[in-house]
Amino acid sequence: MTKAKIIGLGSYFPKKVLTNKDLEKMVDTTDEWIVTRTGINERRIADENEFTSDMAYEASKNALEDAKIKAEDIDLILVATLTPDYIFPSTACLVQNKLQANNAAAIDIQAACSGYVYALSFAKSLVEQKVYKNVLIVASEKLSSITDYQDRSTCILFGDAASACVVSLNGKGLEIESVYLGADGKMSDLLILPAGGCKKPATLDTVKNKEHFLKMDGKEVYKHAVRRMGEATKKCLEMANLHESDISWLVPHQANERIIDAIAKRFTHLPKEKVYKEVVYKFGNTSASSVGIALDLLKKGNKLKKDEYILLSVFGAGFTFGGCILKNLG
Ligand SMILES: CC(C)(COP(=O)(O)OP(=O)(O)OC[C@H]1O[C@@H](n2cnc3c(N)ncnc32)[C@H](O)[C@@H]1OP(=O)(O)O)[C@@H](O)C(=O)NCCC(=O)NCCS
């Protein structure tokens, strides 16, 4: 069977840079603490009037241009985000309108930081079964809108950005060899936005108690992230009938350099520079957007050689996790 491919990639970064030095003036932290514990140097913050759908639109335009197809050729838009413009309508519908992708169905996917890989799984199946021809995946996050900039344990981690790709049967690009998805709903309390849903609609109390900001048990999340991302890499290697040593590039979710290093331990043959970390250094944790940005920068940096395998590994709130193996067709 012909396999689905990523035929175009794009990303978008807001202009405003928030450095560790800036954060030193906002909370009781230091550049040294942040770099040592996370690897993050700076992150981007969207403008007050710049929203998830706007960043998604910019990243989508870049991906469509890279794929050399028009918006009207897209027949499905999947938007992965945990910071939608609204609870409803979906951000995917807003993006469909901005792009004038009038022939496309549109739906949001909420799998937190694993959203891009979840979307790749759905796009692969739908394209290979010939339900849709060209699927646009967009991951976009305005995490600054749910971050408490008085909470030093979380505000140092997150940033805003978007990434996008076009998945199709035709054309060249990155062939999708295997995708593994997993979830563990027992752990949903460890990383959560407590209020704003139907269980706790906005009230004066929820605002006063800062329940519209994300809450995280960092230590526990860290342990689960390492374990689940490790499992996911193993599962998608098995699904593709490949071995660790076949992988040329490891692109884990860009949340924390130490988590990435822990995942990389399994890949003893890989030189340091083939474990991708540039995104966590420069943009922090951009949730669903993270691996898509890494892929875009990796491809456009002309670093990928023909027939190389790239392994994506992701983890997020829910918990959700997953892995994906891509082959560069050149
Ligand atoms: C958040 C994280 C960086 C914290 O690192 P850690 O080594 O676990 O640090 P701890 O939470 O144990 O905190 C150690 C100390 O540093 C303090 N601290 C926390 N944030 C700090 C900051 N920004 N600056 C300085 N000190 C800080 C803590 O208060 C604690 O002080 P104490 O020992 O006096 O109580 C780490 O747990 C992590 O990366 N977790 C995973 C987060 C993640 O990636 N989430 C998204 C998954 S998709």
Side-chain angles (χ1 to χ4, degrees), residues 42-104:
E42 56 187 50
R43 63 292 288 143
R44 299 295 175 94
I45 303 295
D47 190 71
E48 208 184 327
N49 298 312
E50 186 175 42
F51 306 108
T52 294
S53 64
D54 301 313
M55 293 187 280
Y57 169 64
E58 296 298 333
S60 300
K61 277 197 306 187
N62 294 337
L64 290 176
E65 200 181 310
D66 191 40
K68 299 186 179 61
I69 65 168
K70 297 195 183 77
E72 63 245 38
D73 298 328
I74 295 293
D75 41 17
L76 176 65
I77 300 174
L78 300 174
V79 171
T81 186
L82 55 73
T83 47
D85 287 23
Y86 309 105
I87 287 185
F88 75 90
S90 71
T91 302
C93 282
L94 307 181
V95 173
Q96 190 246 21
N97 181 47
K98 283 180 203 282
L99 284 171
Q100 291 294 296
N102 298 326
N103 300 316

Side-chain angles (χ1 to χ4, degrees), residues 11-22:
S11 39
Y12 173 78
F13 314 101
K15 284 193 188 61
K16 186 180 163 195
V17 177
L18 182 68
T19 65
N20 293 348
K21 285 280 170 204
D22 295 329

